[in-house]
Amino acid sequence: MDLRGKGPIIAMALAAAAAGGWLIYRAWPETLPNVVLEDDEGQTIALDAMREGKDYLVLAFFLEGCPISKFSVGLLKTEHQKWSERAAFVGLLIGSATAATSYQDNEELDFPVYGLRSTADPFAVNELFEKVGSSYGTGSAIYGGTVVVVDADRTVVEIFAKEEVKGLPAELESLLQ
């Protein structure tokens, strides 16, 4: 086989294969760390305990004043009523434990909200951000309103960020029915 003059085509094919492999690697499901957070009374709870022995944990990342967080809150109120038998719901506010309690009260949420700044191990929270971001393929980016579904092994099953959060009801229906 004569490969003369085919160098650029071969190089482009190899580059495309390498890029595809990297994207698959970056989107590989991540296992989240067992982050331990505090409530506003100083009681600690680990991510594993937040699941309450249910099949799944639905984690929602909230940012005060964020319109997508507000949109997610509306969806999660409805989904919590439908699926709280099969999945535990938890909000994670980018703020203190006191701010998280206020957020939960102001939004009238029937599930707990914890402040991500109320932890004895900030490195575990950084790892949480990194793992969720890696599952989404963005490195360590988490946006306000992001919702993550985690299984009993703390493996990311589904992630909804930005506009994808609109698909949360249909995906939870498919996953939890």
Side-chain angles (χ1 to χ4, degrees):
M1 177 184 329
D2 185 10
L3 296 178
R4 285 180 283 178
K6 307 280 192 223
I9 293 172
I10 293 171
M12 286 183 358
L14 288 173
W22 182 83
L23 287 174
I24 289 169
Y25 168 76
R26 293 292 296 168
W28 200 263
E30 294 281 357
T31 300
L32 301 183
N34 193 24
V35 176
V36 178
L37 300 171
E38 290 182 5
D39 63 18
D40 66 347
E41 296 175 1
Q43 299 296 316
T44 60
I45 186 165
L47 198 63
D48 282 342
M50 291 177 195
R51 194 173 50 80
E52 302 171 341
K54 296 180 181 175
D55 297 332
Y56 297 97
L57 175 62
V58 178
L59 291 172
F61 292 84
F62 299 133
L63 184 61
E64 287 188 84
C66 170
I68 297 174
S69 292
K70 186 74 170 170
F71 182 84
S72 291
V73 162
L75 285 179
L76 290 166
K77 284 180 176 181
T78 301
E79 297 308 306
H80 178 257
Q81 290 176 352
K82 287 166 69 174
W83 302 113
S84 62
E85 293 294 317
R86 296 254 353 253
F89 287 70
V90 171
L92 300 174
L93 181 75
I94 301 172
S96 69
T98 303
T101 299
S102 294
Y103 191 86
Q104 180 182 350
D105 292 345
N106 292 339
E107 296 296 336
E108 300 175 343
L109 295 172
D110 291 331
F111 53 86
V113 178
Y114 298 96
L116 287 169
R117 291 193 180 131
S118 297
T119 180
D121 187 357
F123 298 105
V125 173
N126 286 346
E127 183 182 356
L128 174 71
F129 271 74
E130 182 180 298
K131 298 286 186 172
V132 170
S134 294
S135 293
Y136 188 62
T138 60
S140 62
I142 294 181
Y143 305 95
T146 295
V147 178
V148 180
V149 180
V150 181
D151 67 13
D153 297 322
R154 291 191 318 273
T155 301
V156 174
V157 175
E158 296 281 345
I159 186 165
F160 306 89
K162 300 189 261 184
E163 217 170 288
E164 293 171 352
V165 78
K166 293 177 185 177
L168 177 67
E171 289 297 324
L172 284 180
E173 176 82 28
S174 174
L175 184 66
L176 299 175
Q177 62 179 334

